Structures are given as structure tokens and as C-alpha cells.
Amino acid sequence: ELMSTLRYLRERHPHTRIALTMRDVLDEPEHILPHWQQVGMMDVLENYYDEIWVAGSRAVFDPPSLYGFSPAVTKRTRFCGYVVRASAPADIDRLREELRLDARPRVLVSCGGGGDGFELMDAWSHVAAGLARDGIDSIVLLGPDMPVAQRRLLRSRMMPLGDRVLVLDFSPDVPALLALATVSVSMGGYNTVCEVVSAGKPALVIPRTEPRAEQWLRAKALEA
């Protein structure tokens, strides 16, 4: 859908610099490359973009090599590091007071938007009570896209645990919640994983593998 704009810029404003920003992990090469060949993506990278900005680290995942960039496109590729939001200490203190969190160890459990996070949250709803009895609290982020019926079911299971399990649909400041957590349990989306790594928290990552292997590849690369 951008081709008309890219052609216009190249033809009418040839001095305009055009950059493509992409995540480091898209999918397995055997899935990406046939699609790119079908839509002519390699020619687009070659002829329309002056730079490719990769939001990641080449030491972790190397798109130019894995996705077969030409030497010219590889030369134009820049690795920008992982793009992560941060929270100020005052925001962390405010959230601790707002949620009335004590010094007990706690797990932050999250599944991104939540549209495909029910399996993870369903499993957690069965272990949260045992952890609470062992002195380990939970903060559970269901995600704004989780279907209402699933959200109601999970809340009905976990609300009887009282303040030992805090269930939220959404938080605008996940980095602050991570700062207040002892460990993280999550799926493997880009934002979530980057925030966990930035926070330096021990993490259990349960990546989805369908319809793309992006999360699984990211988890395996960071594990290595």
C-alpha cells in the first residue's frame, strides 16, 4: 500500500531520504523469503529505501544474513538496538503506593494484547493459589484484546485469592510493574520481551508458534 508513495517520492522528490524500520525477527526464513519473492520485496529494498533501521541487535538476530539481503541493502542496514520504554523512579513509587504492594515476592504475568493469551492465563489461574499460599503474589495483565467471556472466567477464578493476586485488564506502565516484580512470566512479543530484558528480571517466556514463529525465534535467540 506504500508503493505509490514510494514511487512518487523517488520520481518527484529524489533527494528525499527514505528509511524502513523493521523488527529484528519477522518469521522463519523459509516462510518470509517466498512471500518476499512473490511481492518483489527485495527489489523494493534495493530501489526505494536509502536505509533499513533494524530495531534489535545483530549479535542476537541477523536479518541481512537470514533473509538474504543483497550486499547493497546490507550496507545500508543500521542496527538501532532494542527500543524500550522506561519508567522514572517516581512513577514506580507512585504505582507501588497506588496498588498497595508490600515487600512479598511477586510474578508479573502478561500476554501482550491478550487476543491469543488465554492458554497462558488459564494455566496461571490454576497455579496462582498455590503460589499465594507459598508467599508469592501475582500481578496478572489479561490484555485489552482478550475476549470478554475469557476475561470473566479468569477473573472468577482468581478474584477469590484477594489481594494476593491482582488482575488488571491493562496497564499503561508495564515497565513500572516489571520494576516492582521479582520475575516475569509472559508470551514472546517484541515489546514485552524487550521490556523484560531491559528490566533485568528473570523471565519465563512462553512464545506462540502460530501463525508466525516470530516469538519462538526471538525467545530462542535471547536464550542463546
Side-chain angles (χ1 to χ4, degrees), residues 148-162:
V148 173
Q150 294 179 355
R151 192 180 294 128
R152 286 174 178 165
L153 174 61
L154 293 170
R155 282 185 173 278
S156 69
R157 288 181 186 167
M158 291 188 276
M159 285 184 66
L161 300 175

Side-chain angles (χ1 to χ4, degrees), residues 101-118:
L101 300 179
D102 56 26
R104 286 163 59 108
R106 61 183 46 85
V107 185
L108 177 63
V109 190
S110 61
C111 57
D116 58 355
F118 179 74

Side-chain angles (χ1 to χ4, degrees), residues 31-105:
H31 294 154
I32 287 291
L33 294 178
H35 175 66
W36 277 12
Q37 186 174 12
Q38 180 183 358
V39 301
M41 186 65 182
M42 293 303 186
D43 290 335
V44 174
L45 293 177
E46 190 86 33
N47 297 314
Y48 291 97
Y49 287 103
D50 299 291
E51 292 189 354
I52 290 85
W53 298 345
V54 179
S57 167
R58 195 167 196 170
V60 177
F61 204 85
D62 187 4
S65 297
L66 291 167
Y67 299 140
F69 288 9
S70 71
V73 173
T74 299
K75 189 175 181 180
R76 294 182 224 147
T77 301
R78 306 284 181 267
F79 285 82
C80 305
Y82 290 101
V83 182
V84 185
R85 294 180 302 156
S87 292
D91 294 330
I92 298 169
D93 292 339
R94 174 191 52 76
L95 193 60
R96 179 187 288 110
E97 183 176 345
E98 180 182 314
L99 299 179
R100 300 177 182 178
L101 300 179
D102 56 26
R104 286 163 59 108

